[in-house]
Amino acid sequence: MTEHMITLHGGCFTGGSASWDKEQTACLEKEGLTVHQLDFPKDNLEHTIEYLIRYLSSFDTPPHILGRSSGGYLAKIIHDKYPHLIDKAIYLSPVFNPVVRARHNPQFKERQDSYFRYLMRSNKSNEQSTEAEYLIPNTDTFNPSTELLLLASHDENVPVECFTEEQLDAADSLGIRTHKGMTTTCSLKFQQVLNDFL
């Protein structure tokens, strides 16, 4: 039976393109996977998730899902909220906590605020707080039997504070240092770890 893999590109939620990942897609296909590299809607979280649910619901057997960077957050939301739609999830340098990421890397804040705008509200309980309160889905859990987390050892885009201790303990760096290196890897070690997991 052919195994299907849905892959989601990065791009700070509102950018990016499926064309970024052609080389890694070819690598996954060489491993015998049928890859569906999606150009999903990027205006807001609700529209993205609605699109992904519709797409994933079309499979007779749940496919795997792989998310890179902000696409890793989307894959995590699907894994946690709609587990019946996928088999296993792989995350490459995911943005599991966009709020913390924006605090550490303010250059991402404006785009993230736009993407999550329907899930934000002013924090009126504390008049001294000027930061928006996000009501975005929580990604604090981790299940090593159905999730594989791969993090760069010195990620300039996603700080370790975006992850729980449980998630960090389960993560593997594959010896890759950078965010781009992890999200685009086609290394033999990546292929081996992926095969072992699937």
Side-chain angles (χ1 to χ4, degrees), residues 33-198:
L33 296 163
T34 299
V35 179
H36 305 257
Q37 176 63 49
L38 303 187
D39 263 323
F40 48 86
K42 294 172 284 228
D43 180 64
N44 63 75
L45 178 65
E46 293 79 0
H47 289 164
T48 305
I49 297 300
E50 287 170 7
Y51 172 88
L52 293 177
I53 290 169
R54 279 196 307 273
Y55 195 90
L56 290 164
S57 297
S58 69
F59 289 86
D60 294 330
T61 304
H64 307 303
I65 192 166
L66 179 147
R68 308 164 180 100
S69 193
S70 56
Y73 174 83
L74 301 173
K76 178 69 168 154
I77 295 303
I78 294 294
H79 174 275
D80 290 355
K81 305 291 183 185
Y82 308 96
H84 62 287
L85 292 178
I86 59 165
D87 185 22
K88 292 188 175 180
I90 299 98
Y91 317 110
L92 306 181
S93 287
V95 183
F96 275 3
N97 193 324
V99 178
V100 170
R101 200 270 288 266
R103 281 188 208 131
H104 285 266
N105 298 75
Q107 70 269 28
F108 299 125
K109 185 177 185 329
E110 185 177 342
R111 290 170 72 184
Q112 290 182 181
D113 284 355
S114 172
Y115 187 71
F116 294 112
R117 65 190 177 276
Y118 300 130
L119 297 172
M120 292 171 57
R121 64 178 179 182
S122 296
N123 188 346
K124 302 197 187 261
S125 62
N126 180 356
E127 292 182 9
Q128 294 181 348
S129 175
T130 58
E131 185 169 337
E133 179 183 349
Y134 286 77
L135 303 175
I136 63 175
N138 192 327
T139 61
D140 287 345
T141 61
F142 197 77
N143 180 350
S145 66
T146 58
E147 297 178 279
L148 176 64
L149 177 58
L150 301 175
L151 300 177
S153 59
H154 294 80
D155 197 317
E156 65 282 9
N157 287 1
V158 185
V160 294
E161 289 83 0
C162 287
F163 305 96
T164 66
E165 288 300 320
E166 178 188 23
Q167 291 167 348
L168 289 172
D169 287 344
D172 190 342
S173 75
L174 307 179
I176 297 171
R177 292 180 54 86
T178 67
H179 185 80
K180 183 175 182 182
M182 180 58 78
T183 58
T184 61
T185 185
C186 296
S187 72
L188 290 176
K189 190 167 183 184
F190 168 65
Q191 295 172 48
Q192 179 181 353
V193 167
L194 193 68
N195 279 325
D196 291 345
F197 177 66
L198 298 178

